[in-house]
Amino acid sequence: MAKIELNDVSYKYPYTKNQALRKISYNFESGKFYGIIGENGGGKTTLCNLIRGLVPHFYKGKLKGDVLVDGTDIRDWNLDELSAQIGYVFQNPFTQISGIKETVFEEVALGLENLGVPKEEIIEKVTNVCKLLKIDDLIENNPNELSGGQRQRVAFASIISMETEMLIIDEPTSQLDPEGTRDVFGIIKTLKESNKTIILVEHKIDMIAEYCDEILVMSKGSIAFSGPTHEILSNPEIMEYGAMMPQSAIFGHAMADAGKPLARIPITLSEAVPLVKDRR
Amino acid sequence: MAIEIKNASYAYPNGFMAVENISITIKEGERVAIVGQNGAGKTTAVKMMNGLNKPCAGDVIVDGINTKDQTTASISRMVGYVFQNPDDQIFNNSVKAEIEYMPRYFKLSEKEIEKRVNHAVELSGVEEYLDINPYDLPYPIRKFVAIAAVIASEPRYIILDEPTAGQDKFGLDILSSMITSLQNEGVAVLTITHDMEFAVNNFQRIVAMAHKNILADGTAKEIFWNEAVVADARIKKPQIGELAKMLSLEGEILFCDELVAKL
Amino acid sequence: MDSEFINSFRSYQKTGNFWLDLNPITKLNICLAFAFSALIMLDWRYGIPLCLACCVVALLAGKFKVFFDMYGKVCMIVILFVTIVRQIGMRTGNVTPFINIFGWQWYLESFVAGWDRITFILGFSGSLILFFATTPMRDLMYSFEQLGMSHENSFIMLASMQNIIDLKKASVTILESQKSRGIETDGNILVRAKAFFPTLGPLLLGAIASTEEKAIAMDARAFSVKRKHTFLRELAPASTTQKTLSIAAWVFCAATLVFRFIR
């Protein structure tokens, strides 16, 4: 069964003229890693908000069509219970820290406290997550005094510790430096190995190319393209919809245009190297 | 006409020395990208250029004026600085009002105001949002509003702090053409960026900073093919350069057409 | 990983200091009872020992610096203010000249009359400041939650404290950002008044926007899930001894009331 099923979904935020989502139909399967790319204002974040239940529970407005999470319509879900099912990490590393805990260890434990998990179990889970995400050296630090990159890692740990089956990650690195970005992608790699259902919105296309199973390109509230990662990212048409193309793919097309085509269009550097060597 | 930093150091009020004894000259109409790890002193250095940080040793001279002799605001009319977060700057209830704010503050004529607004709007591609409240716009568009508002002050030098963060392909294209137009008008454009692709494609001069100082200053090839600099400044070679390295190609390749020609 | 730190959560939080380890509610009871007793006695012979006692407890608790930073200021203001008000009020009757400051005659009697008032205020505020200087806010909120306060209220209290720190930081950045586009923020009243809106606007709008984001972030941490919460960090509930201490403190307070009436 599909984890999330969207059927002819349209949505308009309150007090706005344009539809934020237009007639979207898509099934997100359990255990797959999805990447969402495309122009800003094209509906990427709104789609996340919809799956997360923030639309229509938090942001009111007009929702049409069926949105099924685990077979139950989103309107029938209790938003509070949904948060125990779907984890959510977003851009701003500063607003995701609660501001009420004095150590990282307690910050990471907050969600589990709210869920009423027994204390011994909290300690065990938080310890494991901190080791897994390599923030064990930070556990005694004050989360309100960390750098953006460190805070974003703590935000990930806080959500991952809740062990939700599904994660929505909305532009986690757009406000981080290269080191913070690398650390966050290290976390995303770890998550991929855990076989959770993951939806990642991200502009850093080389990272998308590396980790995602399927890609959706959003434009003007609709899905312009969708399919397996390689097929989508090697298609130059996606740039007309505001999506970036991996440098390796741009290079692949430039080779073809120059009359020196590679066997196929690469989307990562490690894919490009043998293709070039084969040609020579 | 130039910004000259001469043997300048800056310490924060808590005593933390953020840049030590740096010297650099930015000439009129240049395009310079400053790269390096967080904490290397990039932001502290550019804040010296517009007078926000007055050096505790050495001098910063902007078009012949020592920044110590004037207020930050008056230096900033020559050296505009767009902060990383547009929300620190935007406060008007329409995009048009935000862009008009500085020309009106300077009490310019209506005709001049209109001219400057049109120019800023054209460069930053925000025509369709003029009557909208900036807070109803997505973050990357708000960033262009903040840039337009600084362009409308018509500074001689513009500093963009992380302009590509969160931008899509369209946003990057607007940035590229904006930078070219500004340079054609004789305006120098400086940027602090973590986006190496953006740096090599739009800036002729790259300054790598590390350890509170300038590590290297030169063309993209000089910086990104100097492995010691790349390692010490903790920057990444642009992807095409990395591919050329993986293929062990000669010629310090950084651009796609160079690589295609070589193969 | 530091297992000693992690293990500390397995038992009740302890510092090893008797006063600090008292349950916040016990501490609150004792401090309030003594504060009210100062109010009832209204006598310097009671007030001064109480002030000294507060200092001694703060010293023994190892929190003298935090306590005296606040208390010292309160003492100075109260002593100055009450003395001056009393001197102005004392004009007639049988008075003894004490000192003459630039033609302003001070009298001995008004000093004595002021002392009762001063020591009562200082005894009262000393007890309360002692409480807040030796009780972390989160411990107090934890205790209130145990008594049935909703965790929403406790969150709002604790988060507001952090918000104040964050807003301070934000206002510095906003001020710098506005200077960097050329808005003067230093100078005469008129110049500063003009900078008021550009700095306040982003601060308020930013606070509103981050409140919405924080609500979403907390929601993702199952904040509003209707279940009984657990507490990772726990304080020892008040023991019988501690409960007796609280009652004793209030009995003492009642005794001062009786004493005051018979006298």
Side-chain angles (χ1 to χ4, degrees):
Chain A
M1 186 181 69
K3 178 79 187 162
I4 310 274
E5 214 178 312
L6 305 178
N7 224 329
D8 204 21
V9 176
S10 297
Y11 174 71
K12 196 163 83 68
Y13 282 103
Y15 317 114
T16 55
K17 270 182 260 157
N18 296 330
Q19 301 256 307
L21 297 176
R22 294 166 208 255
K23 294 186 183 293
I24 290 190
S25 296
Y26 198 82
N27 285 355
F28 292 93
E29 307 290 331
S30 271
K32 271 196 176 175
F33 198 133
Y34 294 88
I36 305 184
I37 58 175
E39 61 176 358
N40 287 315
K44 302 191 299 289
T45 296
T46 308
L47 186 62
C48 291
N49 286 343
L50 174 73
I51 297 166
R52 174 65 186 73
L54 293 169
V55 163
H57 290 284
F58 187 87
Y59 301 103
K60 305 296 175 191
K62 232 172 162 183
L63 177 65
K64 278 188 253 170
D66 305 324
V67 185
L68 305 178
V69 176
D70 286 335
T72 305
D73 195 280
I74 194 89
R75 300 170 190 88
D76 300 332
W77 271 97
N78 176 329
L79 180 60
D80 308 331
E81 289 302 325
L82 202 59
S83 67
Q85 307 284 323
I86 302 178
Y88 191 26
V89 179
F90 53 95
Q91 303 175 27
N92 190 335
F94 294 88
T95 49
Q96 291 181 85
I97 299 292
S98 70
I100 64 166
K101 297 290 185 186
E102 288 182 12
T103 63
V104 165
F105 195 84
E106 291 167 79
E107 178 70 31
V108 175
L110 178 66
L112 298 169
E113 289 182 309
N114 289 339
L115 289 172
V117 174
K119 185 152 92 170
E120 202 44 52
E121 216 175 298
I122 293 184
I123 293 177
E124 191 187 318
K125 284 185 175 172
V126 173
T127 310
N128 290 340
V129 166
C130 290
K131 272 186 200 152
L132 185 71
L133 301 197
K134 303 190 179 73
I135 54 170
D136 20 352
D137 52 331
L138 295 177
I139 56 169
E140 289 184 60
N141 290 39
N142 185 337
N144 303 299
E145 287 161 11
L146 300 177
S147 71
Q150 291 170 326
R151 283 183 202 228
Q152 195 64 302
R153 282 193 283 162
V154 172
F156 266 97
S158 304
I159 294 299
I160 293 169
S161 70
M162 294 167 72
E163 296 178 348
T164 53
E165 219 181 294
M166 177 166 183
L167 278 170
I168 298 175
I169 309 168
D170 191 358
E171 293 197 41
T173 66
S174 70
Q175 300 187 19
L176 306 184
D177 66 346
E179 200 152 276
T181 303
R182 202 193 51 218
D183 290 340
V184 163
F185 275 95
I187 291 172
I188 288 172
K189 191 174 174 199
T190 313
L191 286 174
K192 183 170 169 61
E193 288 154 9
S194 71
N195 286 325
K196 287 180 194 287
T197 314
I198 296 174
I199 296 181
L200 170 68
V201 177
E202 179 61 61
H203 283 297
K204 298 199 171 92
I205 200 70
D206 298 305
M207 307 289 189
I208 289 270
E210 193 120 353
Y211 300 115
C212 295
D213 300 317
E214 305 233 349
I215 305 281
L216 285 79
V217 182
M218 300 269 314
S219 169
K220 302 196 164 47
S222 311
I223 298 173
F225 295 91
S226 66
T229 303
H230 202 283
E231 178 194 318
I232 302 295
L233 294 188
S234 58
N235 181 356
E237 281 174 54
I238 63 171
M239 292 200 282
E240 288 159 33
Y241 295 84
M244 320 257 191
M245 219 176 154
Q247 292 290 323
S248 325
I250 293 175
F251 160 71
H253 283 290
M255 288 291 281
D257 291 346
K260 316 178 210 175
L262 303 171
R264 62 172 187 279
I265 301 293
I267 62 166
T268 61
L269 291 183
S270 46
E271 188 188 358
V273 173
L275 289 177
V276 174
K277 284 187 177 151
D278 284 350
R279 230 198 83 82
R280 284 158 111 201
Chain B
M1 293 292 152
I3 301 177
E4 297 159 82
I5 299 187
K6 296 175 178 170
N7 302 101
S9 302
Y10 183 79
Y12 281 93
N14 64 9
F16 176 75
M17 187 71 92
V19 292
E20 271 184 275
N21 196 17
I22 66 167
S23 296
I24 184 172
T25 302
I26 310 286
K27 289 198 274 308
E28 219 176 9
E30 261 195 305
R31 299 189 203 178
V32 185
I34 303 176
V35 298
Q37 209 190 357
N38 276 5
K42 306 190 297 290
T43 302
T44 311
V46 299
K47 280 185 176 173
M48 289 209 282
M49 296 180 188
N50 82 334
L52 264 178
N53 291 346
K54 313 259 161 137
C56 59
D59 288 295
V60 180
I61 314 288
V62 177
D63 289 356
I65 297 167
N66 193 316
T67 59
K68 284 178 190 163
D69 300 335
Q70 294 216 4
T71 62
T72 303
S74 65
I75 300 288
S76 294
R77 286 169 205 174
M78 297 185 277
V79 187
Y81 178 15
V82 188
F83 272 49
Q84 185 168 0
N85 185 352
D87 300 345
D88 291 335
Q89 185 191 317
I90 296 171
F91 64 96
N92 288 286
N93 58 9
S94 78
V95 169
K96 187 153 186 274
E98 183 66 30
I99 300 173
E100 276 177 353
Y101 190 81
M102 284 322 288
R104 289 203 184 284
Y105 186 89
F106 298 144
K107 300 203 167 58
L108 301 173
S109 68
E110 283 300 320
K111 212 177 135 196
E112 179 68 17
I113 293 175
E114 201 190 318
K115 196 195 104 199
R116 287 191 176 196
V117 169
N118 286 343
H119 175 239
V121 165
E122 190 192 331
L123 289 189
S124 57
V126 294
E127 296 95 321
E128 51 181 309
Y129 312 110
L130 283 179
D131 298 321
I132 297 178
N133 188 321
Y135 275 84
D136 290 333
L137 294 170
Y139 180 91
I141 311 262
R142 288 211 292 283
K143 199 139 184 171
F144 277 114
V145 174
I147 295 174
V150 171
I151 292 178
S153 304
E154 298 202 342
R156 308 288 306 142
Y157 306 85
I158 288 189
I159 305 170
L160 304 172
D161 199 341
E162 292 299 342
T164 61
Q167 296 295 352
D168 58 12
K169 175 83 171 54
F170 299 144
L172 287 181
D173 291 347
I174 294 174
L175 271 175
S176 292
S177 64
M178 174 200 291
I179 292 166
T180 312
S181 305
L182 286 171
Q183 190 188 30
N184 291 341
E185 294 162 19
V187 178
V189 183
L190 279 83
T191 189
I192 295 180
T193 186
H194 290 310
D195 186 336
M196 300 307 151
E197 255 70 42
F198 174 67
V200 296
N201 289 324
N202 296 284
F203 295 86
Q204 297 104 340
R205 181 174 167 199
I206 314 274
V207 175
M209 287 193 71
H211 322 299
K212 308 172 185 185
N213 218 316
I214 292 169
L215 190 67
D217 181 348
T219 63
K221 281 185 198 294
E222 285 164 356
I223 302 295
F224 289 107
W225 277 100
N226 184 335
E227 300 298 336
V229 168
V230 169
D232 204 16
R234 301 239 205 145
I235 50 180
K236 251 175 71 185
K237 207 185 257 64
Q239 295 258 306
I240 296 293
E242 193 60 43
L243 184 56
K245 190 183 164 194
M246 286 160 100
L247 293 166
S248 319
L249 295 175
E250 300 279 310
E252 304 191 333
I253 291 166
L254 284 179
F255 300 98
C256 198
D257 44 358
E258 287 178 300
L259 182 57
V260 172
K262 189 88 180 177
L263 294 170
Chain C
M1 271 211 271
D2 188 349
S3 53
E4 195 186 321
F5 168 72
I6 294 170
N7 273 331
S8 76
F9 293 110
R10 293 201 159 91
S11 48
Y12 293 129
Q13 298 295 313
K14 279 263 183 295
T15 60
N17 181 294
F18 174 74
W19 177 260
L20 290 181
D21 287 344
L22 282 182
N23 185 284
I25 302 297
T26 308
K27 242 185 285 179
L28 185 62
N29 272 314
I30 296 174
C31 290
L32 275 180
F34 278 93
F36 281 114
S37 73
L39 181 81
I40 293 161
M41 295 297 277
L42 198 58
D43 188 323
W44 65 270
R45 281 162 296 185
Y46 181 74
I48 288 182
L50 182 60
C51 293
L52 289 176
C54 289
C55 293
V56 169
V57 173
L59 199 63
L60 290 178
K63 296 279 177 193
F64 189 72
K65 202 187 164 307
V66 187
F67 171 75
F68 204 73
D69 270 356
M70 184 75 191
Y71 193 52
K73 281 176 205 147
V74 171
C75 286
M76 288 240 294
I77 293 167
V78 169
I79 293 174
L80 269 176
F81 184 74
V82 176
T83 308
I84 289 170
V85 166
R86 284 274 138 175
Q87 290 296 343
I88 294 169
M90 185 76 65
R91 279 282 173 269
T92 54
N94 194 10
V95 289
T96 323
F98 174 58
I99 192 175
N100 189 311
I101 302 169
F102 302 117
W104 182 15
Q105 187 64 53
W106 287 35
Y107 300 100
L108 195 58
E109 282 74 9
S110 43
F111 270 108
V112 180
W115 266 111
D116 284 339
R117 186 121 322 182
I118 288 170
T119 51
F120 127 67
I121 299 174
L122 294 185
F124 186 83
S125 52
S127 306
L128 293 186
I129 293 171
L130 176 66
F131 174 74
F132 286 107
T134 55
T135 315
M137 204 46 146
R138 56 176 176 165
D139 287 357
L140 184 63
M141 289 304 133
Y142 168 84
S143 307
F144 282 163
E145 270 187 63
Q146 299 291 319
L147 292 176
M149 186 174 84
S150 75
H151 83 302
E152 280 88 355
N153 285 336
S154 132
F155 175 81
I156 289 165
M157 274 300 294
L158 293 172
S160 321
M161 313 260 299
Q162 185 58 41
N163 266 347
I164 294 168
I165 301 172
D166 293 344
L167 278 180
K168 250 189 198 164
K169 278 188 208 156
S171 64
V172 173
T173 321
I174 289 167
L175 202 64
E176 289 198 335
S177 171
Q178 300 300 2
K179 278 188 202 170
S180 297
R181 69 196 285 204
I183 296 176
E184 283 291 354
T185 55
D186 309 310
N188 62 36
I189 289 284
L190 190 74
V191 170
R192 274 191 268 178
K194 263 182 154 177
F196 181 69
F197 195 59
T199 42
L200 194 68
L203 197 64
L204 289 179
L205 292 168
I208 294 167
S210 70
T211 306
E212 183 182 302
E213 275 189 24
K214 187 144 262 178
I216 293 172
M218 286 304 102
D219 202 75
R221 311 275 283 280
F223 187 73
S224 3
V225 172
K226 305 276 174 294
R227 284 184 213 172
K228 198 172 160 29
H229 292 185
T230 36
F231 294 89
L232 174 65
R233 188 175 178 283
E234 289 182 298
L235 300 177
S239 61
T240 325
T241 326
Q242 289 195 26
K243 282 179 183 150
T244 320
L245 267 174
S246 303
I247 294 167
W250 283 110
V251 167
F252 174 76
C253 181
T256 58
L257 193 66
V258 175
F259 175 76
R260 182 78 201 277
F261 273 108
I262 342 177
R263 198 171 55 158

